[in-house]
C-alpha cells in the first residue's frame, strides 16, 4: 500500500533572469516500510523535494497524497497539525531544542500531540533505549556529540508514531562511526517496527544501506532502483 | 513544557537577560520607592492637617463658613459637645470660638485666625500642645494668655512674655481690642499655618467678643479610626439637626484631591518608567526571535502550531519582565518599608517644604495594592513588548528558516 503518492510535482522559482525548476515533474509512490534514499548532486532538488513531500514548501503544481489525503489542500493550521501527527523530521544539523534535555526533546512532540504523562515517559524511555541513549536522557544537546544528537533527533522523529520519517542528509555532519551507528539504528527500526524512512543523501554508506535508491538530477528522477 | 522552554530560554544569553532585568528592576525599584515617598509626604500632610488643624469632623451653623460670620454661633455648644462626646466612636470634642482678626505688636501687625479653645478638650482633638517649642500650653493661670506660631512671632518681632494686641469685632459689631501675653510658641512645620494662627482661651475670647455663655462657632471632633468617620458623621448629624456636619474631606477638599492626585501621579510615574523599559524589552525580544529564526522554523516544521509559538515568545517576554519586576518590587518595597520607620531628612530644604505645608522629615507610606498593581503592570508591559517580536516569529516560513546555516 502506498503511504505517499506524488503526482506531477513541480517547484519552480521565478528568478529575475532565470526560471529555476527545482522539482520538475516528479511522479512517485512510496510504499509502507520502505527504506528509501533520494540521491543526487548538490542543487539537484533533493531538499526541495523532501520539503514538498513534508508539507513545508508549497509546490508550484502537482499533488502529494499521504494515506490518500491531499497534503496541499489542507489549510495552514491543519497542515501543521497534519505534520505533527503524520511526519517525523530528521534534519542535517540535528535541530534539537537546546534548552531541553534529550528526554524532554523526545517528550516535547508527544506533549504537542496531547499524550498522557505516563505514556510519554514510557515511550521516551523506549525510544532513547532503542537509539542507545538510555544513559544520556538527562543531558542537554550541548553535552552530546553530533552522533548522539542525531540519534535523539531520530527518537524525536519517531516519538509521534508518524506514517513516515523524512531525513534530510542525516549523516552529513557525522563521522563514519556515528554514521554507521545511526544507520544501523534506522535500519533496525525500519525492519522491526516497519517505519518508512525517506532520506536525502549523497553519502555512499547510506546509499549502500538503502533498499530503494532514487536518483534525482535537475529536479527530475533519473533512476529508481530497488535492491 | 512551554513554560519550561520559555523560562529556560530567558537564561540562554545570561548577560543580555541580566542587563534588561537589572534595568527593569532599577526602574521599578525607583518607581515603587518614589511612589511610597510621595504617598508618605501626602499622608503626612493630610495627617498633620487633621491632627493640627481640621480634625476629622466639624459642626457649624450652616452660614458660619460662608463668610466667617461671628453671629452664626451655636448657642448651647457645651451641651451639644457633651452629647457628641458620648458617641462611642468619638475620641474627643473641642468647642472653639473662631474669628479672623488683626494681631499687633509694638512694631507691626498681621492678619490672623484666632481660635478660642478649652485647652483640656482641644488637646484631645489636636496635637498643638505637642508642637510647642517654647513655653507651655495654657498651664499658667494668667489673664489673657496666647499661643502663637514661631513664624508670626518672628514677623511681629515678639518673644515669650511679649504682649500682643488682638483687635477684633464683637457680637454687636463694635471694634474691641485685648492685650494678650505670649505664653507659648509653636512650630507645626507648616509655615503658612504658623504665620496665621493664634490660640487663646475660650472664655477670654468669648468675654472679649461678648458672646453668650456656653456658645461656640465650631465643634471639632476626632474619631477613633479613619474608617469610622462616615458612620460617626451620620450619628452626629442625627444629634445636631439643622447644623452643618462636615468631614475633613468636605472641609478641606484640596486635601482629598491631594490624596487622589498623589495616587494618580504615582501610577503615571510608574507607567512612564514602564513605557521607557518597554522599548528595551522589545529590543531584547527582537534579538531573541531573530537569533532563533531557524529554531522557531524547526518547531513549526515538526508541528508546533502558531498559537504555541506565539505563547512561547509571550511567556519568555513575561518571564523576562516579571523577573526584573519582582526584583524591583522587592527592592523598592524593602527600601520603602525601611523608611516607613526611619525618616528621610529633607531639612536642608526644610523652609521650602514648610512653606508648602509639608514636613521636612518624610516617612514613606507603602500600600500593598501598589506592589500588586505594579506587578500586574509589569506583566502587561511584558505582553505588549512581546507582540511585535512574536509577530515577526509567526511570519517565519519553516522551509526558509531551515535553510539558514
Amino acid at each position: 500500500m502506498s503511504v505517499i503518492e506524488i503526482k506531477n510535482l513541480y517547484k519552480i522559482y521565478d528568478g529575475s533572469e532565470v526560471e529555476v525548476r527545482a522539482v520538475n515533474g516528479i511522479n512517485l509512490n512510496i510504499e509502507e516500510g520502505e527504506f528509501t534514499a533520494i540521491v543526487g548532486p548538490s542543487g539537484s532538488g533533493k531538499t526541495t523535494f523532501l520539503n514538498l513531500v513534508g508539507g513545508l514548501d508549497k509546490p508550484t503544481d502537482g499533488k502529494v497524497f499521504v494515506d490518500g489525503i491531499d497534503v496541499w489542500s489542507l489549510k495552514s493550521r491543519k497542515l501543521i497539525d497534519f505534520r505533527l501527527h503524520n511526519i517525523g523530521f530528521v534534519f542535517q544539523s540535528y535541530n534539537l531544542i537546546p534548552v531541553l534535555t534529550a528526554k524532554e526533546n523526545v517528550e516535547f512532540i508527544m506533549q504537542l500531540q496531547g499524550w498522557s504523562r505516563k505514556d510519554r515517559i514510557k515511550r521516551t524511555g523506549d525510544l532513547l533505549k532503542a537509539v542507545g541513549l538510555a544513559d544520556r536522557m538527562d543531558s542537554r544537546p550541548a553535552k552530546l556529540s553530533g552522533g548522539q544528537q542525531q540519534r535523539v533527533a531520530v527518537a524525536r522523529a519517531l516519538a509521534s508514531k508518524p506514517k513516515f520519517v523524512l531525513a534530510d542528509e542525516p549523516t552529513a555532519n557525522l563521522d563514519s562511526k556515528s554514521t554507521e551507528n545511526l544507520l544501523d539504528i534506522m535500519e533496525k527500526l525500519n525492519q522491526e517496527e516497519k517505519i518508512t524512512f525517506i532520506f536525502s543523501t549523497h553519502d555512499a554508506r547510506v546509499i549502500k544501506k538503502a533498499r530503494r535508491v532514487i536518483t534525482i538530477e535537475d529536479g527530475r528522477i533519473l533512476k529508481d532502483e530497488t535492491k | 513544557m512551554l513554560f519550561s522552554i520559555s523560562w529556560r530560554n530567558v537564561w540562554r544569553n545570561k548577560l543580555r537577560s541580566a542587563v534588561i532585568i537589572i534595568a527593569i528592576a532599577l526602574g521599578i525599584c525607583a518607581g515603587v520607592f518614589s511612589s511610597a515617598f510621595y504617598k508618605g509626604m501626602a499622608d503626612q500632610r493630610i495627617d498633620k492637617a487633621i491632627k493640627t488643624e481640621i480634625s476629622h469632623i466639624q459642626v457649624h451653623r450652616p452660614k458660619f463658613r460662608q463668610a466667617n460670620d461671628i453671629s452664626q454661633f451655636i448657642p448651647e455648644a457645651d451641651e451639644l459637645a457633651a452629647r457628641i462626646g458620648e458617641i462611642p466612636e468619638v475620641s474627643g470634642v473641642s468647642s472653639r470660638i473662631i474669628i479672623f482678626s488683626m494681631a499687633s505688636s509694638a512694631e507691626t501687625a498681621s492678619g490672623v485666625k484666632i481660635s478660642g479653645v478649652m485647652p483640656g478638650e482641644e488637646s484631645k482633638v489636636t496635637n498643638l500642645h505637642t508642637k510647642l517649642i517654647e513655653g507651655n500650653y495654657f498651664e499658667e493661670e494668667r489673664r489673657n494668655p496666647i499661643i502663637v506660631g514661631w513664624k508670626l512671632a518672628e514677623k511681629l518681632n515678639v518673644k515669650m512674655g511679649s504682649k500682643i494686641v488682638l483687635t477684633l469685632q464683637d457680637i454687636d459689631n463694635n471694634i474691641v481690642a485685648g492685650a494678650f501675653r505670649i505664653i507659648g510658641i509653636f512650630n507645626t512645620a507648616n509655615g503658612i499655618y504658623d504665620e496665621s494662627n493664634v490660640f487663646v482661651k475660650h472664655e477670654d475670647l468669648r468675654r472679649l467678643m461678648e458672646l453668650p455663655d456656653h456658645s461656640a462657632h465650631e465643634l471639632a471632633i476626632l474619631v477613633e479610626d479613619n474608617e469610622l468617620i462616615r458612620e460617626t458623621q451620620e450619628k452626629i448629624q442625627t444629634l445636631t439637626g439643622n447644623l452643618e456636619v462636615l468631614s475633613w474631606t468636605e472641609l478641606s477638599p484640596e486635601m482629598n484631591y491631594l490624596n487622589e492626585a498623589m495616587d494618580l501621579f504615582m501610577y503615571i510615574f510608574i507607567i512612564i518608567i514602564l513605557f521607557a523599559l518597554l522599548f528595551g524589552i522589545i529590543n531584547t525580544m527582537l534579538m531573541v526571535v531573530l537569533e532563533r529564526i531557524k529554531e522557531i522554523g524547526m518547531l513549526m516544521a515538526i508541528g508546533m502550531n502558531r498559537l504555541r509559538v506565539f505563547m512561547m515568545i509571550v511567556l519568555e517576554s513575561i518571564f523576562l519582565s516579571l523577573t526584573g519586576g519582582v526584583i524591583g518590587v522587592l527592592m523598592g518595597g524593602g527600601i520603602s518599608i525601611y523608611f516607613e520607620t526611619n525618616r528621610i531628612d529633607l531639612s536642608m530644604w526644610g523652609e521650602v517644604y514648610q512653606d508648602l505645608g509639608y514636613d521636612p522629615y518624610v516617612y514613606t507610606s507603602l500600600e500593598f495594592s501598589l506592589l500588586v498593581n505594579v506587578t500586574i503592570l509589569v506583566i502587561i508591559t511584558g505582553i505588549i513588548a512581546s507582540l511585535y517580536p512574536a509577530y515577526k516569529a509567526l511570519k517565519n516560513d519553516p522551509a526558509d528558516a531551515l535553510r539558514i546555516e
Side-chain angles (χ1 to χ4, degrees):
Chain A
M1 182 195 156
S2 294
V3 180
I4 305 168
E5 259 185 276
I6 295 158
K7 291 185 176 171
N8 287 323
L9 199 64
Y10 287 87
K11 180 68 184 181
I12 302 165
Y13 294 102
D14 274 325
S16 54
E17 290 175 7
V18 231
E19 180 187 85
V20 179
R21 290 176 172 256
V23 172
N24 193 10
I26 288 182
N27 287 288
L28 187 68
N29 278 13
I30 306 277
E31 306 300 320
E32 192 179 343
E34 274 192 18
F35 200 62
T36 302
I38 311 287
V39 301
S42 291
S44 59
K46 302 186 297 290
T47 300
T48 306
F49 175 69
L50 288 192
N51 283 346
L52 296 175
V53 175
L56 296 176
D57 229 352
K58 193 176 170 82
T60 311
D61 199 7
K63 293 198 182 296
V64 175
F65 294 94
V66 172
D67 262 359
I69 296 168
D70 181 356
V71 173
W72 286 104
S73 70
L74 298 172
K75 293 258 190 312
S76 170
R77 197 191 297 176
K78 290 245 177 193
L79 184 60
I80 293 175
D81 211 41
F82 181 82
R83 286 202 298 265
L84 174 65
H85 289 91
N86 295 283
I87 309 170
F89 289 93
V90 178
F91 305 100
Q92 184 179 329
S93 47
Y94 332 129
N95 286 351
L96 298 175
I97 302 169
V99 293
L100 299 184
T101 62
K103 183 175 68 182
E104 289 166 337
N105 262 286
V106 177
E107 225 184 306
F108 177 64
I109 202 138
M110 288 183 271
Q111 198 170 34
L112 292 181
Q113 285 185 317
W115 287 45
S116 72
R117 185 175 156 75
K118 193 180 150 197
D119 292 345
R120 282 200 320 257
I121 290 169
K122 187 178 180 312
R123 184 155 174 81
T124 302
D126 291 347
L127 285 167
L128 287 173
K129 201 172 155 193
V131 296
L133 288 172
D135 57 337
R136 303 304 304 271
M137 277 192 181
D138 295 315
S139 302
R140 288 205 185 177
K143 300 278 177 195
L144 299 172
S145 69
Q148 287 171 327
Q149 286 189 54
Q150 197 61 303
R151 280 189 273 156
V152 176
V154 170
R156 179 181 67 182
L158 295 173
S160 61
K161 294 195 170 174
K163 297 221 161 53
F164 60 92
V165 173
L166 292 175
D168 187 13
E169 308 220 21
T171 59
N173 292 335
L174 303 183
D175 58 31
S176 54
K177 196 178 166 206
S178 299
T179 299
E180 200 65 41
N181 197 300
L182 184 76
L183 287 171
D184 287 345
I185 288 165
M186 286 164 75
E187 194 177 29
K188 190 172 165 229
L189 289 164
N190 168 256
Q191 283 170 1
E192 289 178 2
E193 297 190 23
K194 299 286 170 226
I195 293 162
T196 308
F197 277 92
I198 305 154
F199 35 86
S200 69
T201 188
H202 41 230
D203 186 332
R205 292 162 299 186
V206 182
I207 297 166
K208 203 174 133 192
K209 288 265 184 191
R211 286 199 300 283
R212 184 180 177 188
V213 179
I214 298 165
T215 310
I216 291 182
E217 209 171 295
D218 297 330
R220 290 174 187 275
I221 294 178
L222 207 65
K223 269 194 286 184
D224 186 348
E225 299 167 299
T226 305
K227 293 177 190 171
Chain B
M1 201 173 279
L2 215 54
F3 281 84
S4 175
I5 293 175
S6 299
W7 174 247
R8 291 183 204 178
N9 275 338
V10 170
W11 305 107
R12 270 167 86 163
N13 190 327
K14 290 189 179 69
L15 181 64
R16 185 173 60 202
S17 295
V19 167
I20 191 72
I21 284 169
I22 291 168
I24 296 168
L26 290 178
I28 296 299
C29 174
V32 168
F33 175 71
S34 303
S35 301
F37 176 82
Y38 288 115
K39 183 87 173 82
M41 240 173 141
D43 283 357
Q44 273 173 263
R45 173 74 189 92
I46 292 165
D47 192 55
K48 191 160 69 177
I50 290 171
K51 287 185 179 157
T52 313
E53 305 161 32
I54 317 169
S55 72
H56 284 136
I57 298 168
Q58 288 184 4
V59 179
H60 307 98
R61 287 273 294 276
K63 288 181 184 167
F64 174 74
R65 287 176 69 246
Q66 286 172 13
N68 294 306
D69 182 352
I70 55 168
S71 66
Q72 296 295 315
F73 55 84
I74 304 165
E76 293 300 327
D78 291 354
E79 190 196 328
L80 186 59
R83 282 165 62 204
I84 292 170
E86 286 167 9
I87 296 172
E89 293 85 0
V90 171
S91 57
V93 186
S94 174
S95 68
R96 297 168 176 167
I97 296 172
I98 307 283
I99 184 163
F100 288 82
S101 181
M102 189 66 77
S104 320
S105 67
E107 289 181 26
T108 184
S110 182
V112 290
K113 179 186 174 187
I114 307 166
S115 297
V117 297
M118 297 176 180
E121 304 305 321
E122 184 67 22
S123 59
K124 288 180 191 164
V125 176
T126 59
N127 61 2
L128 190 76
H129 59 289
T130 65
K131 303 290 179 188
L132 292 176
I133 51 171
E134 279 185 79
N136 60 72
Y137 189 68
F138 299 114
E139 283 166 15
E140 296 169 40
E141 285 301 321
R142 279 186 172 193
R143 190 174 153 78
N144 285 353
I146 188 167
I147 293 173
V148 299
W150 70 274
K151 211 159 182 188
L152 180 69
E154 204 174 83
K155 190 175 178 184
L156 297 178
N157 198 17
V158 291
K159 54 185 194 236
M160 282 288 295
S162 299
K163 258 188 189 175
I164 57 174
V165 174
L166 301 179
T167 309
L168 45 91
Q169 209 176 9
D170 70 9
I171 194 72
D172 299 319
N173 294 330
N174 301 312
I175 300 296
V176 292
F180 287 77
R181 193 172 296 278
I182 297 172
I183 59 146
I185 296 175
F186 61 83
N187 180 356
T188 63
N190 177 347
I192 300 165
Y193 186 83
D194 294 349
E195 192 181 331
S196 58
N197 281 274
V198 298
F199 291 84
V200 297
K201 280 190 172 176
H202 191 280
E203 64 261 31
D204 292 342
L205 190 57
R206 185 177 51 76
R207 203 183 314 117
L208 192 61
M209 291 173 69
E210 296 189 355
L211 283 167
D213 287 352
H214 312 298
S215 64
H217 292 118
E218 180 175 287
L219 296 178
I221 299 137
L222 197 70
V223 177
E224 298 277 2
D225 191 319
N226 280 352
E227 303 296 316
L228 301 170
I229 292 174
R230 179 66 54 196
E231 184 189 328
T232 313
Q233 188 184 1
E234 283 167 14
K235 286 183 182 174
I236 295 171
Q237 187 68 72
T238 315
L239 278 180
T240 55
N242 290 333
L243 295 179
E244 185 184 58
V245 181
L246 299 174
S247 69
W248 71 269
T249 54
E250 294 156 318
L251 289 160
S252 187
E254 72 281 4
M255 287 290 155
N256 199 30
Y257 297 148
L258 175 70
N259 203 11
E260 287 172 11
M262 205 52 84
D263 280 347
L264 185 67
F265 170 74
M266 281 181 337
Y267 285 107
I268 290 173
F269 186 60
I270 286 170
I271 287 169
I272 290 170
I273 291 174
L274 285 171
F275 190 71
L277 289 170
L278 178 75
F279 291 94
I281 306 169
I282 291 175
N283 184 44
T284 303
M285 289 310 297
L286 262 180
M287 278 195 270
V288 162
V289 166
L290 295 175
E291 252 175 31
R292 290 193 217 141
I293 285 284
K294 186 171 183 177
E295 189 179 313
I296 292 166
M298 178 275 294
L299 290 169
M300 290 166 86
I302 65 171
M304 190 165 172
N305 63 31
R306 286 170 190 276
L307 179 65
R308 284 187 168 120
V309 173
F310 179 81
M311 284 307 296
M312 184 178 76
I313 308 288
V314 171
L315 281 173
E316 190 170 335
S317 177
I318 290 175
F319 286 145
L320 190 70
S321 314
L322 203 55
T323 306
V326 167
I327 295 170
V329 160
L330 291 176
M331 278 165 54
I335 295 169
S336 302
I337 287 168
Y338 175 79
F339 284 111
E340 275 184 345
T341 48
N342 296 279
R343 69 187 189 181
I344 299 165
D345 187 352
L346 300 176
S347 54
M348 197 189 291
W349 304 282
E351 206 166 322
V352 179
Y353 282 102
Q354 285 188 23
D355 284 347
L356 293 169
Y358 290 96
D359 203 315
Y361 300 104
V362 179
Y363 293 91
T364 52
S365 169
L366 182 68
E367 285 185 353
F368 182 69
S369 62
L370 173 77
L371 302 182
V372 174
N373 291 339
V374 167
T375 308
I376 292 168
L377 285 172
V378 168
I379 294 172
I380 293 169
T381 306
I383 293 171
I384 295 170
S386 68
L387 294 180
Y388 181 64
Y391 167 75
K392 289 285 279 184
L394 292 180
K395 270 181 71 184
N396 214 357
D397 180 63
D400 289 341
L402 286 166
R403 283 189 197 105
I404 296 168
E405 288 300 322

